[in-house]
Amino acid sequence: MENVIIANPTSVAEAWEMICPGCRRDDEIRIKATIEVILHRHGTDPTDSDTEWDNASIAFCEHCGFTGIVRDFYDAFSKHNSGGR
């Protein structure tokens, strides 16, 4: 899915085209993402690398607790915008 960059998005839906399939809210969606870290003997330090996720990454709605995958949240946005329920 291609994201359109909006200068000052006001919601997750506007910025990422995602909403919760359970409650339809878009204020806080948690995603299990991958980041790059430097491993050393005292632990780890994050690097300046990008955070990465894909359509199969686990996603969770902070509001209602719905758990699914990122694709579910994209699909809910598409369905909502097309007038579906």
Side-chain angles (χ1 to χ4, degrees), residues 55-84:
N55 286 341
S57 298
I58 301 296
F60 173 83
C61 175
E62 290 286 337
H63 181 69
C64 75
F66 179 91
T67 302
I69 60 172
V70 167
R71 177 89 252 157
D72 298 332
F73 289 75
Y74 281 134
D75 290 348
F77 175 86
S78 294
K79 189 174 184 180
H80 179 73
N81 276 1
S82 68

Side-chain angles (χ1 to χ4, degrees), residues 16-35:
W16 298 98
E17 298 184 350
M18 296 170 70
I19 64 172
C20 175
C23 66
R24 303 285 190 248
R25 289 183 62 152
D26 70 343
D27 47 351
E28 291 188 15
I29 299 170
R30 182 182 300 226
I31 297 174
K32 294 275 187 178
T34 302
I35 65 166

